[in-house]
């Protein structure tokens, strides 16, 4: 791990000031509740990497540029906006501004605490003229009060009495360096907020703005509690269009301190007026003031206690991965906890990467984790998809298809992908959404969601497959001209992953429509339609290459020339930035797990021998130019018995952000890869599968690990699984008894723990990766 992160089981701490690392640590130290996101910038605003304050769903719109336009290309793009920054608290020590680029800092550390849900900072600073102060801060974005963030700020003179001036700001349209070379994007994001009003009185201020193109409105408010044992304090407040500021000046003696609690309230809407938004954020703010700082801390801790009680993963034998997996779970929780009918973006709310868009990352990687750890958050994310059904239906119509076609990337539900071979054509996202619905329903038996949202999502996605595919002259059901997860192979026929996922989609839609025939009838579904879905599912083409004894990823794939890995040097990865797409498309080279993802998610469709052969075949072709690959490779290499390799992949998924493996953490965390750390652990070494609503395990550890223990929730019960090299112990922590399976043997888990032996792994030939693309060998620290 980067030497400046300290390894500790429940915290991420960075000691010392490293200006170069700021952009990265602002992402890893970001706080969010899924509604508000604050990057981990310093209170004093500078030095900084990339400041960022985000509200989930708040974006600006811009025209998408095309050199050559085509029918059905989306016209508008969306970009997440850096909204009014409320984190800023500047400090003047006598007449010198606190700026860590000047003077010296004998002590400086920041700690993200996964149990308190706060970011703490402790800095001792000596100004250039020798004045010493200690600054201690703690901030949170509340999990319990969705519109609220708060900062507790304390400054203490360490030598003499000092005059301190603190300025607490709300700052809109913060100038930031453009991250893009495209002037149109830069223009849309330059000063994106237009002021509606600014107001300040006492210790409170409100700023309200709207965006020019998307027409969204937002309001931010702040209020303060000042604690100082001195009457000589002077305070002023002011507000102008883009800046509200509370200034407090005081003489503070040595041994005394000036403390400030800053409460922030945020809200946005596409419908509500600015005055209505102002009322909303002020009401939330008064609620937070009534709870108080200690109350907010206590609520935050209680929320996280409950989460860890259901979701914790313990790892014995690798302290760094123990930390990484909790860091991962904490950020996945932050991304999804209170999104509530909004998308979960690929970067969560930790940075502007991917323009703030949500992809299939959510349903295929993040929701499997949330479903078993905080199922309400999974439900809310799926409710968001449901709220966008009309847009998805309209999109399907534009594409001359039936049913619903969900966007490849979006903030508000409209397609924003300007590159159709790896956008529109990636129709598998629809089956991924359907699969997430089915998984959630199986895991929770949430009948209300099933009828209100689940049914319609499954019906409309099933209809899409029926219009995208067709029965050929032999009666086989083909889905031609689509792109699977591997973006280095585009617009192909019968992508095995897509076909198998579509088959699941069709079958579960038919089953649900039969269970709720009356509601299905209202959606226009009759028996004839469900029969057609089942026929198509049964007749679905699943390719197999008899000669090689493997599944080709798509039609003709195994006949293509192999990529010349030997002569592809390390610096030419990622390939998409260094080679033309046409060449990638016509060769055997795989960006990310595709067929191997089918082996995981549709594992009941393959024999163990097929899995072992397929894993070997695709290991030799997969370059992992996407962070969405390592976790799936961990799961499948573990299943076929390559436990050491699985351990390497697990580490890669878990450390993607902490080690900045893709050199882009500055733009935000890779939430799907973080979710992948959990998947690699629970589905990889725990062997957890959920085919057809049955929860099964097949645990096995790599030699380096002495134990993995995890918890999860399933149908109102909570279970704990403890895996050791020789045996696994299953415990029912709460709720009703469950039918589970261990390495293929069924058992009932009731009040007594069940302890079962772990069989030896299957012996399969060792796979090889493309030249230079093997994962780093994991050496536990
Ligand atoms: C991957 C996609 C993914 C996107 C966002 C791309 O590099 O190929 O599968 O959805 O990143 O994470």
């Amino acid at each position: 791990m980067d030497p400046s992160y300290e390894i500790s089981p429940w915290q991420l701490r960075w000691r010392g000031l490293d200006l170069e690392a700021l952009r990265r640590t602002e992402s890893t130290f970001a706080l969010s509740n899924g509604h508000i996101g604050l990057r981990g910038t310093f209170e004093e605003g500078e030095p900084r990497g990339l400041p960022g304050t985000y509200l989930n769903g708040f974006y600006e719109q811009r025209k998408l540029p095309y050199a050559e336009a085509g029918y059905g290309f989306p016209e508008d793009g969306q970009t997440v906006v850096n909204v009014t920054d409320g984190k800023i608290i500047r400090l003047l020590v006598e007449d010198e501004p606190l700026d860590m680029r000047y003077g010296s800092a004998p002590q400086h550390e920041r700690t993200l605490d996964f149990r308190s849900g706060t970011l703490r900072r402790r800095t001792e600073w000596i100004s250039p003229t020798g004045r010493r102060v200690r600054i201690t801060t703690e901030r949170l974005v509340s999990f319990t009060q969705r519109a609220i963030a708060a900062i507790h700020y304390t400054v203490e003179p360490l030598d003499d009495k000092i005059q301190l001036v603190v300025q607490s700001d709300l700052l809109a349209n913060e100038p930031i360096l453009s991250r893009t070379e495209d002037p149109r994007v830069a223009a849309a994001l330059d000063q994106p907020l237009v002021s509606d009003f600014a107001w300040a009185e006492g210790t409170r201020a409100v700023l309200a703005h709207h965006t020019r193109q998307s027409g969204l409105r937002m309001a931010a408010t702040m209020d303060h509690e000042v604690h100082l044992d001195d009457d000589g304090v002077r305070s002023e407040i002011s507000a102008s269009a883009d800046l509200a500021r509370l200034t407090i000046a005081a003489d503070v003696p040595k041994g005394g301190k000036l403390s400030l609690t800053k409460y922030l309230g945020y809200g946005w809407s596409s419908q509500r007026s600015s005055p209505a938004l102002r009322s909303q954020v002020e009401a939330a703010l008064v609620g937070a003031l009534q709870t108080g700082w200690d109350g907010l801390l206590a609520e935050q801790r209680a929320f996280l206690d409950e989460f860890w009680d259901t979701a914790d993963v313990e790892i014995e034998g690798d302290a760094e991965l123990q930390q990484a997996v909790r860091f991962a779970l904490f950020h996945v929780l932050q991304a999804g906890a209170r999104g509530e009918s909004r998308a979960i973006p690929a970067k969560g709310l930790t940075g502007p990467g991917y323009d703030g868009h949500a992809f299939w990352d959510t349903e295929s990687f993040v929701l499997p984790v949330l479903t078993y750890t905080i199922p309400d958050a999974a439900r809310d994310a799926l409710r968001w998809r449901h709220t966008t059904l009309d847009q998805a239906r309209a999109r399907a119509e534009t594409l001359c298809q039936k049913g619903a076609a969900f966007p490849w990337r979006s903030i508000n539900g409209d397609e924003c992908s300007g590159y159709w071979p790896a956008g529109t054509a990636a129709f598998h996202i629809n089956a991924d959404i359907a699969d997430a619905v089915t998984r959630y329903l199986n895991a929770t038996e949430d009948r209300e969601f099933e009828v209100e949202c689940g049914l319609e999502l499954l019906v409309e996605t099933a209809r899409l497959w029926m219009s995208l595919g067709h029965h050929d002259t032999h009666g086989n059901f083909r889905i031609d001209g689509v792109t699977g997860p591997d973006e280095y192979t585009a617009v192909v026929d019968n992508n095995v992953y897509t076909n198998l996922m579509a088959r699941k989609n069709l079958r579960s839609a038919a089953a649900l429509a039969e269970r709720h025939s009356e509601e299905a009838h209202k959606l226009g579904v009759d028996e004839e339609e469900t029969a057609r879905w089942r026929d198509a599912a049964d007749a679905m083409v699943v390719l197999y290459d008899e000669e090689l004894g493997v599944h080709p990823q798509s039609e003709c794939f195994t006949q293509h020339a192999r990529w010349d890995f030997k002569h592809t040097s390390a610096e030419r990865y990622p390939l998409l930035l260094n080679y033309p797409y046409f060449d990638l498309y016509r060769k055997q080279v795989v960006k990310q797990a595709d067929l191997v993802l089918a082996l995981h998610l549709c594992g009941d469709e393959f024999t163990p021998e097929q899995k072992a052969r397929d894993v070997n075949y695709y290991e030799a072709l997969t370059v992992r130019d996407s962070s969405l690959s390592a976790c799936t490779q961990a799961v499948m290499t573990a299943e076929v018995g390559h436990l050491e390799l699985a351990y390497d992949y697990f580490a890669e998924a878990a450390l993607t952000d902490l080690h900045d493996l893709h050199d882009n953490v500055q733009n935000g965390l890779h939430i799907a890869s973080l979710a992948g750390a959990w998947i690699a652990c629970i589905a990889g070494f725990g062997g957890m599968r959920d085919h057809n609503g049955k929860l099964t395990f097949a645990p096995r550890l790599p030699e380096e690990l002495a134990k993995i223990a995890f918890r999860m929730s399933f149908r109102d019960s909570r279970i704990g699984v403890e895996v050791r090299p020789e045996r696994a112990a299953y415990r029912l922590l709460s709720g009703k008894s469950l039918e589970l399976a261990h390495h293929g043997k069924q058992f009932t888990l009731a009040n007594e723990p069940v302890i079962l032996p772990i069989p030896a792994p299957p012996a399969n030939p060792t796979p090889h990766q493309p030249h230079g693309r093997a994962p780093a060998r994991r050496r536990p620290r």
Side-chain angles (χ1 to χ4, degrees), residues 662-673:
H662 292 261
D663 195 23
N664 57 8
V665 168
Q666 61 189 51
N667 291 326
L669 302 179
H670 300 79
I671 301 296
S673 182

Side-chain angles (χ1 to χ4, degrees), residues 346 354 359-361 408 485 487 591-592 625-628 672:
Y354 282 126
F359 296 71
W360 71 306
D361 304 34
W408 178 243
E487 295 185 350
K591 181 183 183 190
Q592 63 201 96
D625 277 353
S626 158
S627 67
L628 272 58

Side-chain angles (χ1 to χ4, degrees), residues 51-112:
T53 302
Y54 310 106
L55 295 178
N56 192 350
F58 193 82
Y59 65 90
E60 181 52 314
Q61 198 162 302
R62 64 196 158 80
K63 287 274 160 240
L64 281 176
Y66 296 107
E68 283 178 57
Y71 172 79
F73 285 13
E75 287 173 11
D76 296 312
Q78 299 160 8
T79 302
V80 64
V81 171
N82 176 26
V83 300
T84 310
D85 189 352
K87 297 185 294 294
I88 299 173
I89 302 175
R90 297 182 213 274
L91 175 69
L92 207 67
V93 179
E94 288 295 343
D95 49 9
E96 285 173 286
L98 165 69
D99 182 326
M100 295 185 52
R101 289 168 296 195
Y102 302 95
S104 62
Q107 194 199 9
H108 174 64
E109 63 178 56
R110 297 202 294 158
T111 308
L112 181 66

Side-chain angles (χ1 to χ4, degrees), residues 201-373:
E201 202 178 296
T203 51
R204 185 178 305 176
V206 188
L207 295 184
H209 289 85
H210 68 268
T211 52
R212 288 190 180 82
Q213 304 304 325
S214 60
L216 304 180
R217 288 193 194 86
M218 66 151 297
T221 180
M222 63 175 180
D223 204 341
H224 304 78
E225 286 166 354
V226 182
H227 317 275
L228 178 76
D229 338 308
D230 178 44
D231 306 332
V233 59
R234 182 187 167 87
S235 93
E236 282 178 9
I237 194 151
S238 64
S240 58
D242 286 347
L243 176 69
R245 172 170 288 168
L246 171 74
T247 309
I248 299 157
D251 291 325
V252 184
K254 181 182 175 202
K257 51 173 97 156
L258 169 62
S259 280
L260 181 79
T261 309
K262 179 175 190 177
Y263 298 87
L264 294 162
Y266 282 99
W268 75 267
S269 172
S270 61
Q271 309 279 331
R272 310 188 72 197
S273 64
S274 293
L277 273 172
R278 171 183 177 172
S279 316
Q280 180 183 323
V281 295
E282 281 199 275
L285 191 73
V286 174
L289 282 158
Q290 199 259 334
T291 307
W293 171 250
D294 289 340
L296 286 175
L297 278 182
E299 287 181 5
Q300 192 85 340
R301 162 81 61 170
F303 183 94
L304 282 160
D305 282 350
E306 169 84 20
F307 174 71
W308 292 116
D309 229 26
T310 318
D312 190 27
V313 176
E314 285 170 76
I315 297 179
E316 236 177 72
D318 192 329
E320 189 184 20
L321 283 187
Q322 170 67 86
Q323 176 184 46
V325 90
R326 288 202 177 116
F327 168 82
L329 267 170
F330 181 72
H331 273 293
V332 171
L333 174 73
Q334 290 208 113
R338 300 297 305 271
E340 289 167 29
S341 66
R342 295 282 159 211
I344 300 178
K347 304 281 175 194
L349 298 175
T350 66
Y354 282 126
D355 278 336
H357 293 169
F359 296 71
W360 71 306
D361 304 34
T362 308
E363 280 79 7
S364 297
F365 296 87
V366 177
L367 296 198
V369 183
L370 296 180
T371 296
Y372 296 114
T373 54

